[in-house]
Structures are given as structure tokens and as C-alpha cells.
Amino acid sequence: MNTVQIDRRIPKIQNRLFEQAHSHALELKPIAIAMSKQGIQGEKLYSHPGMLPLPVPVCEYLHSFNRRQKAILSATFFANFYKYVANSEYHSLISNMSIAEKVFALYSDEFMILHQETNEEMDHIWSFRTVYHMVCRELGIQSSFDEPSFFYGTVGVIPQSDFEKFETRFTFDESFYGILSNLQKGKSFLRKIVEETQQRDKNFTYRVLRFLIGDAMRMLPAEKVQESGLGGFTLLYRYMANVELKKSEAYLFDSPEDFDYEPLAVELNQGHLTDEARHYTTSFELGVELYKVAPPEAQDFVRHFLQIIVEDYINASFTTYLEKLDLTAQGMLLTDTRIGLNSLRMSLHHKELADKQVDINQLVDSWRQLSPKWRNIIGYMEQKSWQYKSQQLERLIKELGLELNKTKLGNRYERYQDALAIKEIQKLVEVA
């Protein structure tokens, strides 16, 4: 079978990093088991308060939580955040195997890099599921671990109706027959796929994207996967997910000198960061390399869809919390606000929050009635997050030569540019 040849330095670097990381046992399972046995004890926090996707600084109700109640809420958020991560990793490992099999020589270094990552992802998924079940046990509830991943939800807003009927598994339906047929016909028909998505709504486009990084690679012969550039496309799409994850994880336990964090939660976070730092490099370096060796038609194809993804990610990411609540009121969903509200809703089942029962809808309405001045205000942690995301997006934009639609993005583009230019993080700042 013909396979893709890439710059040898990439697998050499990744293999060296893998060996360094695993010279000593590095699994998250023992930490997750310890967390499960321990339960939510004491008043230690499971995340930085500023990373909780709720308007803590401007909400008297949330301010009134005692230290123990804040610990329970932070633990519930920690579990929900990693549930979302685990479901994203589940989708990634399916894609990893398809790329390894269809693009690289069997048991080559490149092939094994993706297998190594898949092994690590399975450990992560099992561990995060264990922690989530522990939190549900402590709350006295049952809740599914199933969750739409990064590949559906974070890159843009979702209509509530789409979210409710969304299937989280990679599935093939009859609407993709035309897409699959054009992929089978080869690189000269990739433009047909672009044209079809341009004639349909955004929801169809993202369903097609899920198909391209999932079942399409499994159903196509290797030469068609290579010819259409799907390996590079999937890894660069995964890079976007890595940016979001790395941003969140890096700041989850920010300023340890100021907060009393749960040690096992910190240890699990740091262990996961170690693995994901390499996965992040694989996504970008390997993705760009595969993009460069793809045919010109495939490069145009990849650039078209990555431009959509990048613009939608900017539009959703460089939005303030109260603006996101406005979108929620219009029947739209963004992943972070949904995770925050769901964490609050779940935590209220704990017996130690019996005095904090509240109507969540009324609470959200009260937040939306806050002074308009808060609509454009972001805090310290949001500034750090925006700064990081803008820097990493700029790498991809420059590498692929993407030209963002400034008119379409409006003030989100201004915010993106302002975040790139941040030199000093302030306590509060008003954005464009």
C-alpha cells in the first residue's frame, strides 16, 4: 500500500518525548481510584473560582456559598469538565486509528505515535469516568457520562433543537451518500462537497465535518483518504480542540498560593497535561506536515473548512458570559455556559446545599438583568484565556494562509486582535 512520507524529525521528537514521559509509570487510573475512595471531603477546591463558567463576581447568591458548598460546586464542575474532555477524546481515538491505518506504514513511527496516544486516551477516559461517577455518588444522583464533544458545540453556538436530537456517536446516514460518492471519485470532486455544504445550513456543515473525521476515513480506501487530505484535516481540527483543552487545563489550578486546592485533583490535572502537551504537538506538527504533502485540491478543501471552524470558534470564544446568556435565551447553546449551569444544577442535590435551592431559570434571568456595563466586562482569568487562544489560533491562521472574514466576525475579530496584543493582564477590562 502506498503511504505518506513526512519529515522524519517529527516522529523522532514525539517518540523521544513519549519515552521521557513514560520512563516512570504514568497512568491516571491510580489517581482516579484514590479520588473515588476519598470522595468530596473538606473545603478544598477542585478548580480556580475564575474558571467556573458562572458569573461568580457579580452574583450575590453564588457569593453566599460557604467554603464547603464552594468545594462541592467546584468538584461538580471538575467532573463535568472532564466528562466533556473524555467524550472529545473518545472521538479523537477513533480518528487516530483511521489516520494510522490509512495514511502511514504499518508499525512505522508515525503509525505508533497515534497508537501510543490512543492508549493514553483510553486511560484518560476510564479515569475521568471514575471521577464523574464518584461525584454523582456523592450528590446522590445518577447521570449519563455521554456528552457531545468538542467537535459539536464549542466551535460555535448550537440551536437547542439540534442539541436535543444530536447523536454523539459517529453514525452514517443517507444524507452523506453524495458526500461519500464525491470522496470516492477523488480530489477533482472535493469542490462538489464544498458547494453542497454552502447550499445547506450550518448544522449540516458540522454534521458533514463529523462524517469526514469519523466514518468517511473508515469507509474510504487508503489512497482516497490520502488524496483528499483527510488525515491532515482531522489532526488540524483536533488541534483546535487541543487549544481549547490546553487553555482550560493550564488555568484550572491557577495561583496555587492563593487557593487551597484538592491535591488529588491537581495531580490528575497535571498528569493529563503531560500527555496532552505531546498530543497538542502531534496535532499541529503532523497535521501541518500532512497538509503540505496533500494535493492542491485537497489543500483548498482543508483550508475552506478550517476557515469556517476557526471563524466559528472565534465568534463563540471571544464572547462575554452575559452575551452567552443572551444567546441561551434565544434558544442557542454554548458548551461552557451549559457545563457551568449543569454543574450548579447537579450540585444542588448534595445534602449540604439544602439551604441553596433556587430556580435556575429565574437565577439566569436575574443575571441577564444586570447593568449593561457588565455585558462587555471580562475578568483576569478570561483575559488569560483569550490571550492564549488568540496566540495559538494565529499559528494555524498563518501556517495555512487563512484570511478571516472581518466583516462577518465584527467586534469578535477586534477582540481577537486585542487579545493578541495583550501585554499586561488586568483585574477587569472592557472589551470591544
Side-chain angles (χ1 to χ4, degrees), residues 68-266:
R68 172 64 176 152
Q69 291 169 334
K70 289 176 180 176
I72 293 166
L73 176 58
S74 69
T76 309
F77 164 64
F78 181 88
N80 273 288
F81 169 73
Y82 278 111
K83 176 174 81 165
Y84 158 77
V85 172
N87 279 270
S88 298
E89 292 184 328
Y90 169 75
H91 287 206
S92 290
L93 64 88
I94 293 173
S95 301
N96 281 357
M97 292 300 88
S98 295
I99 298 170
E101 178 185 347
K102 300 294 177 71
V103 177
F104 297 120
L106 191 66
Y107 300 120
S108 64
D109 284 345
E110 298 88 342
F111 179 95
M112 291 309 301
I113 285 169
L114 294 168
H115 271 271
Q116 292 158 6
E117 292 190 3
T118 300
N119 181 52
E120 291 166 349
E121 304 290 30
M122 293 299 292
D123 171 54
H124 302 165
I125 293 167
W126 189 95
S127 301
F128 297 152
R129 176 179 174 272
T130 298
V131 172
Y132 185 77
H133 283 180
M134 176 276 286
V135 169
C136 289
R137 183 191 73 216
E138 293 280 301
L139 299 176
I141 64 173
Q142 290 185 336
S143 179
S144 171
F145 194 65
D146 199 11
E147 169 86 8
S149 70
F150 171 86
F151 301 108
Y152 188 86
T154 302
V155 290
V157 293
I158 329 165
Q160 177 77 38
S161 57
D162 289 346
F163 178 80
E164 290 170 352
K165 65 187 179 185
F166 189 72
E167 168 60 55
T168 60
R169 301 292 172 259
F170 284 122
T171 53
F172 181 78
D173 68 51
E174 60 185 23
S175 64
F176 297 141
Y177 280 120
I179 304 293
L180 182 62
S181 175
N182 283 322
L183 288 169
Q184 289 171 329
K185 291 174 184 175
K187 60 187 179 183
S188 59
F189 283 81
L190 293 175
R191 186 65 201 168
K192 295 285 187 183
I193 298 174
V194 170
E195 291 169 356
E196 183 173 353
T197 57
Q198 288 174 327
Q199 294 167 8
R200 306 284 290 274
D201 60 21
K202 187 63 69 70
N203 186 43
F204 178 76
T205 297
Y206 277 100
R207 288 176 61 231
V208 168
L209 292 176
R210 284 175 60 83
F211 173 61
L212 293 177
I213 66 173
D215 280 337
M217 284 195 293
R218 293 194 284 191
M219 299 173 77
L220 290 169
E223 63 270 18
K224 295 302 178 184
V225 172
Q226 296 167 21
E227 189 179 344
S228 56
L230 289 182
F233 170 68
T234 301
L235 288 169
L236 291 174
Y237 196 170
R238 193 182 89 167
Y239 171 74
M240 298 287 293
N242 293 144
V243 169
E244 178 66 18
L245 170 60
K246 203 159 182 280
K247 174 273 300 181
S248 300
E249 278 203 302
Y251 303 132
L252 205 59
F253 294 101
D254 197 73
S255 307
E257 68 279 1
D258 297 330
F259 299 97
D260 188 13
Y261 290 129
E262 165 52 50
L264 287 174
V266 174

Side-chain angles (χ1 to χ4, degrees), residues 1 50 91 97 115 147 221 246 278 303 305 329 356 363:
M1 180 177 82
H91 287 206
M97 292 300 88
H115 271 271
E147 169 86 8
K246 203 159 182 280
R278 281 179 287 101
R303 272 199 309 274
F305 284 114
K356 294 300 177 187
L363 185 64

